[in-house]
Amino acid sequence: MKGANRVTQPMLANLFRFVLLLFASALSSASAKTQYHDFVVQATPVKRLCNTLQAITVNGQLPGPTIEMNDGDTLVVKVVNQAQYNVTIHWHGVRQMRTGWADGPEFVTQCPIRPGGSYTYRFTIQGQEGTLWWHAHSSWLRATVYGALIIHPKEGSSYPFPKPNRETPILLGEWWNRDPIGVVRQATRTGAVPNVSDAYTVNGQPGDLYNCSKQDTVIVPIDSGETHLLRVINTALNQELFFSVANHKFTVVGADASYLKPFTTNVIMVGPGQTTDVLITGDQPPALYYMAARPYQSARGAPFDNTTTTAILQYKSAPCPAKGSSSAPVFPSLPAFNDTATVTTFNSMFRSRDRGLVPTEIDENLFFTVGLGLNQCPPNFNSGQCQGPNGTRFTASMNNVSFVLPSNWSLLQAHKQQIPGVFTTDFPAAPPVQFDYTGNVSRSLWQPMTGTKLYKLKFGSRVQLVLQGTSIFTAENHPIHLHGYDFYIIAVGFGNFNPKTDTAKFNLVDPPLRNTVGVPVNGWAVIRFVADNPGVWLMHCHLDVHITWGLAMAFLVEDGVGELQAIEPPPEDLPLC
């Protein structure tokens, strides 16, 4: 009988744990909610910089609606296209576990929503907390079609830092005084660099330093002693941005919906697609303080919009200015536009809050070059179509392949329906030719091939990817975004990656977990992830001018074993091409 008791007690303990797990799971499911939203994409008259433009918006708003939800919630968004252009919506940074049909990039996971059509995106947030965002992923529509996606902890859970008194999304954008679709179409016609923007914006407004803008400058309130969480999102099409608040320090606590070990800084740099969560404290004399963003421009000689956007941090107890006088806000000190040293120092501070689950054994060891190029003028083109340097056309590539999107099928449809001739799976695992990537590159390597080439990954494979910048035409910092995945950034550096010496720099303990990595100008970055999400996942530079030129590729992650390791069936209302 004693022996029986010894067996029964562990069994009872295990049964008790099982019941507790079931109870916790039931509580979690009970607290999870389903949110329903309607997005109407439409032309809306928007006045900026003294001009009124028919801008494409969602629900007539610029920025579009902010969506707030909790980890575990399900989002259902019906998108109705009442604009004159094709459109899709991408939920930037959402893992989309088994729901790749809802990811959104045009001709990758879906055909576009045609004018007059609709499509309903359905997905569940799983294990993500923090700041993400949504945006159009069709041509350059995301210049005005974007908004914040805020994921709070599960109900009953809390932030890993004291709860702030206030929270405000800060969306840093870019504005053209003409239709952005016209801007990119002109560049595609001429083969030249597209016209730069006319302004940057904070929450859709340019701010005090631009014409006809002061009356609409965004005001962000704070009170003495308060802590304020700013959710900073770079929604700009083509520009990395420095951001600072006069006389206030930032405590950085998160990025790309992942928590970080907190660190303090006076300025942050956010690349297009990236988000950064910072805490500021109302610890200054009550007054008005400028929040300002200006460009970080790493490409030498390239044209860019060298202006500054502002909002105002206003203490609620700030004294009113005397009659007839005006109290100008204090202006922050911002780095020079080419201050790569500040960017490098800032990025070196990023560490995951908890020890990461970094893959230590690698199944796929990949090496991708990323950079620009120049195509010779085709014989059937006239000089007006070849207005790049010396009568060429700009292009861009990864591993010497300039990516071409299909037009009759989406890649995911072609994969699941086994439609031949839409893509190949021979994207190279390494550059076809090795060269001095950041040195004086031979002109014979400046013109890439074109193709719709994917790289196939087995489900569960552990991937290490070296992203190596090149100096072809000009070197530049490239914000590289991978759809459907977060990844660990285990090292970054300058020059050519050297596997014999640079592996010593790998952080396998607490590297930051992100969805968009800045590959430094004339440098490299190494990322790792586990291919645990089946589907077709685009990886591209988030400078839209570069993806337009072909700086992209896609991973085809095969299904694993059983239903839970396979992508869900396509929804019935998936748009047709």
Side-chain angles (χ1 to χ4, degrees), residues 192-254:
V193 173
N195 291 335
V196 300
S197 57
D198 295 289
Y200 301 110
T201 59
V202 177
N203 292 353
Q205 296 293 341
D208 285 3
L209 306 185
Y210 297 94
N211 291 336
C212 306
S213 301
K214 192 165 187 174
Q215 69 277 11
D216 294 313
T217 296
V218 170
I219 305 294
V220 177
I222 196 169
D223 215 349
S224 296
E226 281 189 345
T227 299
H228 201 138
L229 174 61
L230 302 180
R231 300 177 178 273
V232 186
I233 308 168
N234 186 343
T235 74
L237 251 69
N238 294 317
Q239 194 62 60
E240 290 140 328
L241 293 165
F242 291 114
F243 177 73
S244 185
V245 178
N247 293 5
H248 289 74
K249 286 188 176 296
F250 294 141
T251 299
V252 180
V253 294

Side-chain angles (χ1 to χ4, degrees), residues 62-375:
L62 180 62
T66 293
I67 293 178
E68 297 195 51
M69 52 198 307
N70 295 86
D71 180 20
D73 287 354
T74 295
L75 189 62
V76 180
V77 182
K78 182 177 182 179
V79 177
V80 178
N81 185 7
Q82 294 183 359
Q84 69 267 41
Y85 302 119
N86 294 338
V87 72
T88 65
I89 301 294
H90 170 52
W91 311 92
H92 186 109
V94 174
R95 284 295 315 273
Q96 298 288 3
M97 298 300 292
R98 302 181 55 235
T99 54
W101 304 105
D103 189 44
E106 183 178 72
F107 294 115
V108 178
T109 60
Q110 69 169 96
C111 296
I113 307 168
R114 305 291 183 184
S118 67
Y119 178 49
T120 300
Y121 295 87
R122 298 174 177 85
F123 56 88
T124 300
I125 301 296
Q126 299 182 45
Q128 293 184 282
E129 296 177 16
T131 306
L132 296 176
W133 62 301
W134 58 264
H135 60 80
H137 212 299
S138 187
S139 186
W140 277 22
L141 282 182
R142 79 171 181 86
T144 52
V145 178
Y146 63 87
L149 175 60
I150 296 170
I151 306 169
H152 297 286
K154 289 185 177 182
E155 290 190 6
S157 301
S158 59
Y159 299 130
F161 46 83
K163 185 177 181 180
N165 302 94
R166 299 171 185 266
E167 299 184 16
T168 302
I170 301 291
L171 291 86
L172 306 176
E174 207 167 359
W175 176 262
W176 277 261
N177 267 337
R178 57 176 293 199
D179 182 0
I181 303 297
V183 174
V184 67
R185 285 179 176 175
Q186 179 186 15
T188 302
R189 250 187 338 265
T190 64
V193 173
N195 291 335
V196 300
S197 57
D198 295 289
Y200 301 110
T201 59
V202 177
N203 292 353
Q205 296 293 341
D208 285 3
L209 306 185
Y210 297 94
N211 291 336
C212 306
S213 301
K214 192 165 187 174
Q215 69 277 11
D216 294 313
T217 296
V218 170
I219 305 294
V220 177
I222 196 169
D223 215 349
S224 296
E226 281 189 345
T227 299
H228 201 138
L229 174 61
L230 302 180
R231 300 177 178 273
V232 186
I233 308 168
N234 186 343
T235 74
L237 251 69
N238 294 317
Q239 194 62 60
E240 290 140 328
L241 293 165
F242 291 114
F243 177 73
S244 185
V245 178
N247 293 5
H248 289 74
K249 286 188 176 296
F250 294 141
T251 299
V252 180
V253 294
D256 291 1
S258 292
Y259 292 119
L260 298 169
K261 288 184 171 68
F263 65 92
T264 58
T265 179
N266 294 320
V267 63
I268 63 175
M269 195 287 285
V270 193
Q274 293 182 325
T275 74
T276 306
D277 291 346
V278 299
L279 297 172
I280 61 169
T281 302
D283 57 4
Q284 296 299 304
L288 307 180
Y289 299 86
Y290 272 128
M291 319 169 90
R294 66 166 298 184
Y296 166 54
Q297 177 65 18
S298 58
R300 288 187 180 179
F304 69 102
D305 175 5
N306 193 11
T307 61
T308 302
T309 182
T310 57
I312 295 173
L313 183 72
Q314 178 175 302
Y315 279 72
K316 294 198 302 186
S317 52
C320 295
K323 189 174 182 180
S325 68
S326 61
S327 177
V330 184
F331 205 87
S333 174
L334 286 162
F337 72 85
N338 58 355
D339 191 345
T340 295
T342 290
V343 174
T344 305
T345 300
F346 172 65
N347 286 334
S348 70
M349 304 287 284
F350 281 58
R351 296 285 186 275
S352 286
R353 189 175 186 97
D354 301 314
R355 186 181 179 92
L357 300 173
V358 189
T360 53
E361 295 183 8
I362 300 300
D363 304 304
E364 295 275 2
N365 206 335
L366 307 177
F367 189 106
F368 294 177
T369 56
V370 295
L372 305 184
L374 294 175
N375 282 334

Side-chain angles (χ1 to χ4, degrees), residues 421-442:
V422 178
F423 64 84
T424 60
T425 55
D426 56 347
F427 186 88
V433 177
Q434 292 188 357
F435 57 97
D436 181 5
Y437 307 111
T438 55
N440 189 11
V441 182
S442 167

